[in-house]
Every structure is written in C-alpha cells, then in structure tokens.
Amino acid sequence: MQLYNMTIDGVADKSTQYVDVINPATGEAFAQCQNGNVDTLNSAVSAARKAFSTWGRTSSDERRAKMHELANVLETNMPELMELITKETGKPMGGLNNVGSGMEVGGAIAWTQYTAELELAVDIAQDDADARIEVHRKPLGVVGSITPWNWPLMIAIWHVIPALRAGNTVVIKPSELTPLATMRFIELANEVLPAGVLNVVTGDGSVGAALTSHSDVNKIIFTGSTPTGKHIMASAAGNLKRLTLELGGNDAGIVLPDVDVKSTAAQLFGACFHNNGQTCAALKRLYVHEDIYEEICAEMAEHAKKVTVGNGLEEGVELGPIQNEKQLQIVMELAADAKANGGRFVAGGNRIEGPGYFFEPTLVADLKDGSRLVDEEPFGPIVPIIKYSDINDVITTSNQNDCGLGGSIWSADIEKATELAKSMECGSVWINTHGAVQPNMPFGGIKQSGFGVEFGLYGLEECTSIQALRIPK
Ligand code: NDP
C-alpha cells in the first residue's frame, strides 16, 4: 500500500504511526499516511517561524515567480492528484457538469495563477507639504490552515497561496479523512519552496485544536463546520490570532414563475447535486413559485433518476458516494425525519445497498421552513423543494435561517432579480446560477456561516496587517 508522509521543514517526517485512508466508494483502505500529533505540530510551527525570517522579507517579484512555479507543479502532476482526490473523496474524475477531480485540480491551478499576479500596492493616504503617509501591507507571520474533506486540494490552495503570496509561512492540517492530495502537493511544493515555508501536519481534530491555540501562530484560516469554527474562535483568543472562518452554508435559491422550466430545472439540478451536495455553497433550500412548482419538481426528478451514480474512477460516473459514513448517517436521519413529517419524495430517498457510502439523489417536495431538512445543512444528495406564493414573504422566511453563505435568484427579468438579490442576507448572491465561485470574486459568509473573505485582493489583504508610515517633509 502506498505510504504518505508529512513534510516538515522541507523533509519527509516519518516519526509517527501510519493510519489507513479509506476510499468511500468501496469502504476499504487504499493507502496509509502518517498520523501526526502535537509534537509534530510543534516542530512544524517552529520550522515555519524560522523560515518566516527570510521568506517574509523576499520581494513581491520573487514570491510571484514561486507561486507560478507552484501552479506548474500542480499542472505537471495533475493526473496523479486527480486520482488521489477521487480515491479519497469519492468524487468522480469528470463528474456532473464536469464538477469533479479534474475541476478541483484545474481550479487549484487557476487560483494559484490568479493570486500570483495580485499586487499589494502601497497606498498613499497623504502627500503634501507637511508629510507623506504611506500605508504598507505586511505579512502576519505563521498562518495555520485547517481544511475539510469535501474539496481538500482546492480549499488548501485557497488558504495557502494567498498566505504565501503575502509573505507568510504556513502549517496546514488537512482533514484526517482526506489528507493525501494535500500531502502529495506539499511534498512536491517543497522541491520549489525554501524549507519550512510550507509544512503539512496530519492527525485528528486535536492536532487542529493545538494549531489554533499555538502561541506562535498568527492567523488561522479555517473551512469547516460552524461548531468547530466556534471552538477555533475561542481557542485563538490566547494570542489574539486573526481569523478567517468559512463555515457551513444552507443556501437558498428562489425561483420566480417567469423562468423557462426545462432549462432552469437542469441548471438547478446541477447547482444542488454537484459533488453530491457536499459543497459549502451548493444550493440546499430550493424555493419555487406555486405556478411552476409541480413542473420543476417533475423535471428535476427526471434528472435525479437519470444521473449516473457510482465509483468515480469509472468512466461516465456523474455522482460518487458520500465522503464518509458519519455524513451518510446525517443524510439518512434527515431523510427519515422528512418522511415522518409529510415530505413527498419525488426522487430517491434510500441508501444504495452494497459497499461504499452511496445514497440516491433525493428530492423532497411539500416541506416548509421549520422542518429539519429545510433548516439544517444536510451536506449530501438530498434537497427540499419548498412552494411559495409571495416573493416578499419568501425572501423574509428564507433569510430567517442562521446561515448566510450564498443565495440565488432565478428569473428571466435580470433587473428585477438584481433588486431581489440585494435583499438576501448572505455573503454572495448569484442570478440564474448558484455557487459559481471564481478567483476575482470575494467569497465569505455572514451570520453563522463565518466571517472574513477569500479570493482576489480582498482575500490577499486578509493575510496581512497594515503598517502606516508617516514621513515628515
Ligand atoms: P469539522 O468542522 O469537524 O472539520 C473540519 C476540519 O477541522 C477538519 O480538518 C477537522 O479535523 C478539523 N477540526 C475538528 N475539530 C477541530 C478543533 N477542535 N480545532 C481545530 N480543528 C478541528 O467538519 P466535519 O468534517 O466533521 O463535517 C461536519 C459538518 O461540517 C458537515 O456535516 C457539514 O455540515 C460541515 N462542513 C462544511 C464544510 C464547508 O465547506 N464549509 C466542509 C466540511 C464540512 P479532522 O477531520 O481530522 O477531525
């Protein structure tokens, strides 16, 4: 079985035990990795601190060039990374609407290239006979990154590349469920970067907790659940760490009666089910106007019945398994609750028997706000379709959810949709699409979905502090 090591201070660390990594399509181990602990974490933070003294002083040009070299590393090793991602997450190589491992590695390359080209210019607040005031952006020091299991490599890139580009050094702790693509990328990246600049430590949540409380770490970038985000916020208080918390979402999509039913249903199906609904900004609560409600339900059900579910390594598979057994149990529990509370299953509803953690793509009609499947994030292939009659009422009720990550309005009238979009309480709103993240559009949540933004100059600036410099004339 292939073995994967942590990389600390530029070298492979083999000081701990190896543990199995499971392929969710088979339920069986396919590789093993080092299981880190608090000691390895401390070594990694020391290495990152030491490396910061030189990396933090490199020129912007030097760091830009290094980021492009990292993009080349991703590109050169794309087939290997794609296969690792498919084996550890279960997501198909291609996937529904091409949202699969190919897109994950392709996206990682695109984000790296885009972020490489960003510049933190010096801002001039005053320049007159009295004084010149310059506002500089300085790196923070050591950034800790904690990533989830749904898009392990892409999210690692979203954390790591802006941190490095701004002059910080990094210690990353991937989810113990999906550590391999990240470990392999960081091993390869260390052929390009100076030792200690980018380190990876594995292990369970206790290693993540030690990273968030470490007195020599200056910032945490975290993507994961809201409860863990709250733990991190408390744990980071000791040395006043900066935080970017990208937490759970329960995004609403509101469909107006003027849409073309057939084409909209196809797009909605993709927005809800790509990566099996295991995406923070997937469409998770679908509100449809009563005039087209039954038609949308029927069209989407056709897509659910036709979509190919299976092992993501096989050609033509569009949806893989749920990534882990615990998440499958959450989905099954929410399906049972929906059934018990009057949900009408227009597609799916059951676990797919056999090895692996498969569940049928499931659509549930006739539920209302206040039912668990509507109020809670299932993070799996099950979506409630809720009927509404008044647009103002539905905006109000959909905003009552605790989460505020993304939202969407679907309409033929772009002007009207744009006005409605502005009244949605969430960090990103899309019109006639959903979850369309891109490197130049800031992305982050409000309410229980966290705070801070990623991507573009806004995201890069969050990896810096301001130094204001007053030069007398
Ligand atoms: P968690 O929030 O528990 O895990 C995310 C990451 O945090 C993992 O690397 C995990 O490590 C680490 N971690 C766990 N506990 C701590 C801690 N106390 N301090 C620091 N780091 C910690 O998410 P789960 O994987 O358990 O998923 C649970 C729910 O979270 C899902 O049902 C879904 O609703 C939501 N979620 C949201 C995601 C998003 O993109 N916003 C992504 C994934 C999940 P380890 O896994 O090794 O324990």
Coordinates of all heavy atoms in Angstrom, one line a residue, residues 340-416:
A340 N -41.2 11.3 7.9 CA -42.1 11.3 9.1 C -42.9 12.6 9.2 O -44.0 12.6 9.8 CB -41.3 11.1 10.4
N341 N -42.5 13.6 8.5 CA -43.1 14.9 8.7 C -43.8 15.4 7.4 O -43.9 16.6 7.1 CB -42.2 15.9 9.2 CG -41.9 15.7 10.7 OD1 -42.7 15.9 11.6 ND2 -40.7 15.1 11.0
G342 N -44.2 14.5 6.6 CA -45.1 14.8 5.4 C -44.3 15.2 4.1 O -44.9 15.6 3.2
G343 N -43.0 14.9 4.1 CA -42.2 15.2 2.9 C -42.7 14.2 1.8 O -42.9 13.0 2.0
R344 N -42.8 14.7 0.5 CA -43.2 13.9 -0.6 C -41.9 13.6 -1.4 O -41.4 14.6 -2.0 CB -44.3 14.6 -1.4 CG -44.6 13.9 -2.8 CD -45.9 14.5 -3.3 NE -45.9 15.9 -3.5 CZ -45.8 16.6 -4.6 NH1 -45.6 15.9 -5.8 NH2 -45.8 17.9 -4.7
F345 N -41.5 12.4 -1.5 CA -40.2 12.1 -2.2 C -40.5 12.0 -3.7 O -41.0 11.0 -4.1 CB -39.6 10.8 -1.6 CG -38.9 11.0 -0.2 CD1 -39.7 11.4 0.9 CD2 -37.6 10.9 -0.1 CE1 -39.1 11.7 2.1 CE2 -37.0 11.2 1.2 CZ -37.8 11.5 2.3
V346 N -40.1 13.0 -4.4 CA -40.3 12.9 -5.9 C -39.2 12.1 -6.6 O -39.3 11.7 -7.7 CB -40.5 14.3 -6.5 CG1 -41.8 14.9 -6.0 CG2 -39.4 15.2 -6.3
A347 N -38.0 12.0 -5.9 CA -37.0 11.1 -6.4 C -36.1 10.6 -5.2 O -36.0 11.3 -4.2 CB -36.0 11.9 -7.3
G348 N -35.7 9.4 -5.3 CA -34.7 8.8 -4.3 C -35.3 8.6 -2.9 O -36.5 8.3 -2.7
G349 N -34.4 8.7 -1.9 CA -34.8 8.5 -0.5 C -34.1 7.4 0.2 O -34.3 7.3 1.4
N350 N -33.3 6.6 -0.5 CA -32.7 5.4 0.1 C -31.2 5.3 0.0 O -30.7 5.8 -1.0 CB -33.4 4.2 -0.4 CG -34.9 4.2 -0.2 OD1 -35.4 4.2 0.9 ND2 -35.6 4.2 -1.3
R351 N -30.6 4.6 0.9 CA -29.2 4.3 0.8 C -29.1 3.3 -0.4 O -30.1 2.4 -0.6 CB -28.8 3.6 2.1 CG -27.3 3.2 2.0 CD -26.8 2.6 3.2 NE -25.4 2.4 3.0 CZ -24.5 2.1 3.9 NH1 -24.8 2.1 5.2 NH2 -23.2 1.9 3.6
I352 N -28.1 3.3 -1.2 CA -27.9 2.3 -2.2 C -27.1 1.2 -1.6 O -26.0 1.4 -1.1 CB -27.1 3.0 -3.4 CG1 -27.9 4.2 -4.0 CG2 -26.8 1.9 -4.5 CD1 -27.2 5.0 -5.1
E353 N -27.7 0.0 -1.6 CA -27.1 -1.1 -1.0 C -25.8 -1.5 -1.7 O -25.6 -1.3 -2.9 CB -28.0 -2.3 -1.0 CG -29.3 -2.1 -0.1 CD -28.9 -1.7 1.4 OE1 -27.9 -2.1 1.9 OE2 -29.7 -0.9 1.9
G354 N -24.9 -2.2 -0.9 CA -23.6 -2.6 -1.5 C -22.5 -1.9 -0.7 O -22.7 -1.2 0.2
P355 N -21.2 -2.1 -1.2 CA -20.1 -1.5 -0.5 C -20.1 0.1 -0.7 O -20.7 0.5 -1.7 CB -18.9 -2.1 -1.1 CG -19.3 -2.6 -2.4 CD -20.8 -2.9 -2.3
G356 N -19.4 0.8 0.1 CA -19.3 2.2 0.0 C -20.5 3.0 0.6 O -21.5 2.4 1.0
Y357 N -20.4 4.3 0.5 CA -21.4 5.1 1.3 C -22.3 5.9 0.3 O -22.3 7.1 0.2 CB -20.7 6.2 2.1 CG -19.6 5.5 3.0 CD1 -18.3 6.1 3.0 CD2 -19.8 4.4 3.7 CE1 -17.3 5.5 3.8 CE2 -18.8 3.8 4.5 CZ -17.6 4.4 4.5 OH -16.6 3.8 5.3
F358 N -23.1 5.1 -0.5 CA -23.9 5.7 -1.6 C -25.3 5.9 -1.1 O -25.9 5.1 -0.4 CB -23.9 4.7 -2.8 CG -22.6 4.6 -3.5 CD1 -21.7 3.6 -3.2 CD2 -22.3 5.6 -4.5 CE1 -20.4 3.6 -3.9 CE2 -21.0 5.5 -5.1 CZ -20.1 4.5 -4.8
F359 N -25.9 7.0 -1.6 CA -27.3 7.4 -1.3 C -27.9 7.9 -2.6 O -27.2 8.7 -3.3 CB -27.3 8.5 -0.2 CG -28.7 8.7 0.4 CD1 -29.1 7.8 1.4 CD2 -29.5 9.7 0.0 CE1 -30.4 8.0 2.0 CE2 -30.8 9.9 0.5 CZ -31.2 9.0 1.5
E360 N -29.1 7.6 -2.8 CA -29.8 8.0 -4.1 C -29.9 9.5 -4.1 O -30.3 10.1 -3.0 CB -31.2 7.4 -4.1 CG -31.3 5.9 -4.3 CD -32.7 5.4 -4.2 OE1 -33.5 6.0 -3.5 OE2 -32.9 4.3 -4.7
P361 N -29.7 10.2 -5.2 CA -30.0 11.6 -5.4 C -31.5 11.8 -5.0 O -32.4 11.2 -5.7 CB -29.7 11.9 -6.8 CG -28.9 10.8 -7.3 CD -29.2 9.6 -6.5
T362 N -31.8 12.7 -4.0 CA -33.1 12.7 -3.4 C -33.7 14.1 -3.4 O -33.0 15.1 -3.0 CB -33.0 12.2 -2.0 OG1 -32.6 10.8 -2.0 CG2 -34.4 12.2 -1.3
L363 N -35.0 14.2 -3.9 CA -35.7 15.5 -3.9 C -37.0 15.3 -3.1 O -37.7 14.4 -3.3 CB -36.0 15.9 -5.3 CG -34.9 16.3 -6.2 CD1 -35.2 16.2 -7.7 CD2 -34.4 17.7 -5.8
V364 N -37.2 16.2 -2.1 CA -38.3 16.1 -1.3 C -39.2 17.4 -1.4 O -38.8 18.5 -1.1 CB -37.9 15.9 0.2 CG1 -39.1 15.7 1.1 CG2 -36.9 14.8 0.4
A365 N -40.5 17.1 -1.8 CA -41.4 18.2 -2.0 C -42.3 18.4 -0.8 O -42.3 17.5 0.1 CB -42.3 18.0 -3.2
D366 N -43.0 19.5 -0.7 CA -44.1 19.7 0.3 C -43.6 20.0 1.7 O -44.4 19.9 2.7 CB -45.1 18.6 0.3 CG -45.9 18.4 -1.0 OD1 -45.7 19.4 -1.8 OD2 -46.5 17.4 -1.2
L367 N -42.3 20.2 1.9 CA -41.8 20.6 3.2 C -41.9 22.1 3.4 O -41.9 22.8 2.4 CB -40.4 20.1 3.5 CG -40.2 18.6 3.6 CD1 -38.7 18.3 3.7 CD2 -41.0 18.0 4.8
K368 N -41.8 22.6 4.6 CA -41.9 24.0 4.8 C -40.7 24.4 5.7 O -40.0 23.5 6.3 CB -43.1 24.4 5.6 CG -44.4 24.3 4.8 CD -45.6 24.9 5.5 CE -46.8 25.0 4.6 NZ -47.3 23.8 4.0
D369 N -40.4 25.7 5.8 CA -39.4 26.2 6.8 C -39.9 25.7 8.2 O -41.1 25.7 8.4 CB -39.4 27.7 6.8 CG -38.6 28.2 5.6 OD1 -37.4 28.3 5.7 OD2 -39.2 28.5 4.6
G370 N -38.9 25.3 9.0 CA -39.3 24.8 10.3 C -39.1 23.3 10.3 O -38.9 22.7 11.4
S371 N -39.0 22.6 9.2 CA -38.7 21.2 9.2 C -37.2 21.0 9.1 O -36.5 21.9 8.6 CB -39.4 20.5 8.0 OG -39.0 21.0 6.8
R372 N -36.7 19.9 9.6 CA -35.2 19.8 9.8 C -34.5 19.8 8.4 O -33.5 20.4 8.3 CB -34.9 18.4 10.5 CG -35.2 18.5 12.0 CD -34.6 17.3 12.7 NE -33.2 17.2 12.5 CZ -32.4 16.1 12.8 NH1 -33.0 15.0 13.2 NH2 -31.1 16.1 12.7
L373 N -35.1 19.2 7.4 CA -34.4 19.1 6.1 C -34.2 20.5 5.5 O -33.3 20.8 4.7 CB -35.1 18.2 5.2 CG -34.4 17.9 3.8 CD1 -33.0 17.3 4.0 CD2 -35.2 17.1 2.9
V374 N -35.2 21.4 5.8 CA -35.0 22.8 5.3 C -34.1 23.6 6.2 O -33.2 24.3 5.7 CB -36.4 23.5 5.3 CG1 -36.3 24.9 4.7 CG2 -37.4 22.6 4.4
D375 N -34.2 23.4 7.5 CA -33.5 24.3 8.4 C -32.0 23.9 8.6 O -31.2 24.7 8.9 CB -34.1 24.3 9.8 CG -35.5 25.1 9.7 OD1 -35.8 25.6 8.7 OD2 -36.1 25.1 10.8
E376 N -31.7 22.6 8.4 CA -30.4 22.1 8.7 C -29.6 21.8 7.4 O -30.2 21.4 6.4 CB -30.4 20.9 9.6 CG -31.0 21.1 10.9 CD -31.1 19.8 11.7 OE1 -30.4 18.9 11.5 OE2 -32.0 19.8 12.6
E377 N -28.3 22.0 7.4 CA -27.5 21.7 6.2 C -27.3 20.2 6.1 O -26.6 19.6 7.0 CB -26.1 22.4 6.4 CG -25.2 22.1 5.2 CD -23.8 22.7 5.5 OE1 -23.3 22.7 6.6 OE2 -23.1 23.1 4.5
P378 N -27.8 19.5 5.1 CA -27.6 18.0 5.0 C -26.2 17.7 4.5 O -25.7 16.6 4.8 CB -28.7 17.6 4.0 CG -29.2 18.8 3.4 CD -28.7 20.0 4.0
F379 N -25.6 18.5 3.7 CA -24.3 18.3 3.1 C -24.2 16.9 2.5 O -23.3 16.1 2.7 CB -23.2 18.4 4.2 CG -22.0 19.1 3.8 CD1 -22.0 20.4 3.4 CD2 -20.8 18.4 3.6 CE1 -20.8 21.1 3.0 CE2 -19.6 19.0 3.2 CZ -19.7 20.4 2.9
G380 N -25.2 16.6 1.6 CA -25.3 15.4 0.9 C -26.4 15.5 -0.2 O -26.9 16.5 -0.4
P381 N -26.6 14.3 -0.9 CA -27.5 14.4 -2.0 C -29.0 14.4 -1.7 O -29.7 13.5 -2.1 CB -27.1 13.2 -2.8 CG -26.6 12.2 -1.8 CD -26.0 13.0 -0.7
I382 N -29.5 15.3 -0.9 CA -30.9 15.4 -0.6 C -31.3 16.9 -0.5 O -30.6 17.7 0.2 CB -31.2 14.6 0.7 CG1 -32.7 14.7 1.0 CG2 -30.3 15.1 1.9 CD1 -33.1 13.7 2.1
V383 N -32.3 17.3 -1.2 CA -32.7 18.7 -1.3 C -34.2 18.8 -1.2 O -35.0 18.2 -1.8 CB -32.2 19.3 -2.7 CG1 -32.7 20.7 -2.9 CG2 -30.7 19.2 -2.8
P384 N -34.6 19.8 -0.3 CA -36.1 20.1 -0.2 C -36.5 21.1 -1.2 O -35.7 22.1 -1.5 CB -36.2 20.6 1.2 CG -34.9 21.3 1.5 CD -33.8 20.5 0.7
I385 N -37.7 20.9 -1.8 CA -38.2 21.9 -2.7 C -39.5 22.5 -2.0 O -40.4 21.8 -1.7 CB -38.6 21.3 -4.1 CG1 -37.4 20.4 -4.6 CG2 -39.0 22.4 -5.1 CD1 -37.7 19.8 -6.0
I386 N -39.4 23.8 -1.8 CA -40.4 24.4 -0.9 C -41.3 25.3 -1.8 O -40.7 26.1 -2.6 CB -39.7 25.3 0.2 CG1 -38.7 24.4 0.9 CG2 -40.8 25.9 1.1 CD1 -37.3 24.9 1.0
K387 N -42.6 25.2 -1.7 CA -43.5 26.0 -2.5 C -43.8 27.4 -1.9 O -43.9 27.5 -0.7 CB -44.9 25.3 -2.6 CG -45.8 25.9 -3.7 CD -47.2 25.3 -3.5 CE -47.3 23.8 -4.0 NZ -48.7 23.3 -3.9
Y388 N -43.8 28.5 -2.7 CA -44.1 29.8 -2.2 C -45.1 30.5 -3.1 O -45.2 30.1 -4.3 CB -42.9 30.6 -1.9 CG -42.3 31.3 -3.2 CD1 -42.7 32.5 -3.6 CD2 -41.3 30.6 -3.9 CE1 -42.2 33.1 -4.8 CE2 -40.8 31.2 -5.1 CZ -41.2 32.5 -5.5 OH -40.7 33.0 -6.6
S389 N -45.8 31.5 -2.6 CA -46.7 32.2 -3.5 C -46.3 33.7 -3.5 O -46.6 34.4 -4.5 CB -48.2 32.1 -3.0 OG -48.2 32.4 -1.6
D390 N -45.7 34.3 -2.5 CA -45.4 35.7 -2.4 C -43.9 35.9 -2.3 O -43.3 35.4 -1.4 CB -46.2 36.3 -1.2 CG -45.9 37.8 -1.2 OD1 -46.7 38.6 -1.8 OD2 -44.9 38.3 -0.6
I391 N -43.4 36.7 -3.3 CA -41.9 36.8 -3.3 C -41.4 37.5 -2.1 O -40.3 37.2 -1.5 CB -41.5 37.5 -4.6 CG1 -39.9 37.6 -4.7 CG2 -42.0 38.9 -4.8 CD1 -39.2 36.3 -4.9
N392 N -42.1 38.5 -1.6 CA -41.6 39.2 -0.4 C -41.6 38.3 0.8 O -40.6 38.3 1.7 CB -42.4 40.5 -0.1 CG -42.2 41.5 -1.2 OD1 -41.1 41.7 -1.7 ND2 -43.3 42.1 -1.7
D393 N -42.6 37.5 1.0 CA -42.7 36.6 2.1 C -41.5 35.6 2.0 O -40.9 35.2 3.0 CB -44.0 35.8 2.1 CG -45.2 36.7 2.5 OD1 -44.9 37.8 2.9 OD2 -46.3 36.2 2.3
V394 N -41.3 35.1 0.8 CA -40.2 34.0 0.7 C -38.8 34.6 1.0 O -38.0 34.0 1.6 CB -40.3 33.3 -0.6 CG1 -39.8 34.1 -1.8 CG2 -39.6 32.0 -0.5
I395 N -38.6 35.9 0.6 CA -37.3 36.5 0.9 C -37.2 36.6 2.5 O -36.2 36.2 3.0 CB -37.2 37.9 0.3 CG1 -37.2 37.8 -1.2 CG2 -36.0 38.7 0.9 CD1 -35.9 37.7 -1.9
T396 N -38.3 37.0 3.1 CA -38.2 37.1 4.6 C -38.0 35.7 5.2 O -37.1 35.6 6.1 CB -39.6 37.7 5.1 OG1 -39.8 38.9 4.4 CG2 -39.5 38.0 6.6
T397 N -38.7 34.7 4.8 CA -38.6 33.4 5.5 C -37.2 32.8 5.2 O -36.6 32.2 6.1 CB -39.7 32.4 5.2 OG1 -39.9 32.4 3.8 CG2 -41.0 32.8 5.9
S398 N -36.8 32.9 4.0 CA -35.5 32.3 3.6 C -34.4 33.0 4.4 O -33.4 32.4 4.7 CB -35.3 32.3 2.1 OG -35.1 33.6 1.7
N399 N -34.5 34.3 4.7 CA -33.5 35.0 5.4 C -33.5 34.6 6.9 O -32.5 35.0 7.6 CB -33.7 36.5 5.3 CG -33.1 37.1 4.0 OD1 -32.3 36.4 3.4 ND2 -33.6 38.2 3.6
Q400 N -34.5 33.9 7.4 CA -34.5 33.6 8.8 C -33.6 32.5 9.2 O -33.3 32.2 10.4 CB -36.0 33.3 9.2 CG -36.8 34.5 9.5 CD -38.3 34.3 9.4 OE1 -38.7 33.2 9.3 NE2 -39.0 35.4 9.6
N401 N -33.0 31.8 8.2 CA -32.1 30.7 8.5 C -30.8 31.3 9.1 O -30.4 32.4 8.8 CB -31.7 30.0 7.2 CG -31.0 28.7 7.5 OD1 -29.8 28.7 7.7 ND2 -31.7 27.6 7.6
D402 N -30.2 30.6 10.0 CA -29.0 31.0 10.7 C -27.8 31.3 9.8 O -26.9 32.1 10.1 CB -28.5 30.0 11.8 CG -29.4 30.1 13.0 OD1 -30.1 31.1 13.2 OD2 -29.3 29.1 13.8
C403 N -27.8 30.5 8.7 CA -26.6 30.6 7.8 C -26.7 31.8 6.9 O -27.8 32.2 6.6 CB -26.5 29.3 7.0 SG -26.0 27.9 8.0
G404 N -25.6 32.2 6.4 CA -25.6 33.3 5.4 C -24.4 33.3 4.5 O -23.6 34.2 4.4
L405 N -24.3 32.1 3.8 CA -23.1 32.0 2.9 C -23.5 32.5 1.5 O -23.0 33.5 1.1 CB -22.6 30.5 2.9 CG -21.3 30.3 2.2 CD1 -20.2 31.1 2.9 CD2 -20.9 28.8 2.3
G406 N -24.3 31.7 0.8 CA -24.7 32.2 -0.5 C -26.2 32.1 -0.8 O -26.9 31.6 0.1
G407 N -26.6 32.6 -1.9 CA -28.0 32.6 -2.2 C -28.2 32.9 -3.7 O -27.2 33.3 -4.4
S408 N -29.4 32.6 -4.3 CA -29.5 32.9 -5.7 C -31.0 33.2 -6.0 O -31.9 32.8 -5.3 CB -29.1 31.7 -6.6 OG -29.8 30.5 -6.2
I409 N -31.2 34.0 -7.1 CA -32.5 34.3 -7.6 C -32.5 33.9 -9.1 O -31.5 34.1 -9.8 CB -32.7 35.9 -7.6 CG1 -32.6 36.4 -6.2 CG2 -34.1 36.2 -8.2 CD1 -33.8 36.2 -5.3
W410 N -33.6 33.2 -9.5 CA -33.7 32.7 -10.8 C -34.9 33.4 -11.5 O -36.0 33.2 -11.0 CB -33.9 31.2 -10.8 CG -32.7 30.5 -10.1 CD1 -32.4 30.5 -8.8 CD2 -31.7 29.7 -10.7 NE1 -31.3 29.8 -8.5 CE2 -30.8 29.2 -9.7 CE3 -31.4 29.3 -12.0 CZ2 -29.7 28.4 -9.9 CZ3 -30.3 28.5 -12.3 CH2 -29.5 28.0 -11.2
S411 N -34.6 34.1 -12.6 CA -35.7 34.8 -13.3 C -35.3 35.2 -14.7 O -34.1 35.4 -14.9 CB -36.0 36.1 -12.4 OG -36.9 36.9 -13.2
A412 N -36.3 35.4 -15.5 CA -36.0 35.9 -16.9 C -35.7 37.5 -16.8 O -35.2 38.0 -17.8 CB -37.1 35.6 -17.8
D413 N -36.2 38.1 -15.7 CA -36.1 39.5 -15.6 C -34.8 39.9 -14.7 O -34.9 39.9 -13.5 CB -37.4 40.0 -14.9 CG -37.4 41.5 -14.8 OD1 -36.3 42.2 -14.9 OD2 -38.5 42.1 -14.6
I414 N -33.7 40.1 -15.4 CA -32.5 40.3 -14.7 C -32.5 41.5 -13.7 O -32.0 41.5 -12.6 CB -31.3 40.5 -15.7 CG1 -31.2 39.3 -16.6 CG2 -30.0 40.7 -14.9 CD1 -30.7 38.0 -15.9
E415 N -33.2 42.6 -14.2 CA -33.2 43.8 -13.4 C -34.0 43.5 -12.1 O -33.5 43.9 -11.0 CB -34.0 44.9 -14.2 CG -33.5 46.3 -13.8 CD -34.2 47.3 -14.8 OE1 -34.1 47.1 -16.0 OE2 -34.8 48.2 -14.3
K416 N -35.1 42.8 -12.2 CA -35.9 42.5 -11.0 C -35.1 41.6 -10.1 O -35.1 41.7 -8.9 CB -37.2 41.8 -11.5 CG -38.2 41.5 -10.4 CD -39.5 41.0 -11.0 CE -40.5 40.5 -10.0 NZ -41.5 39.7 -10.7

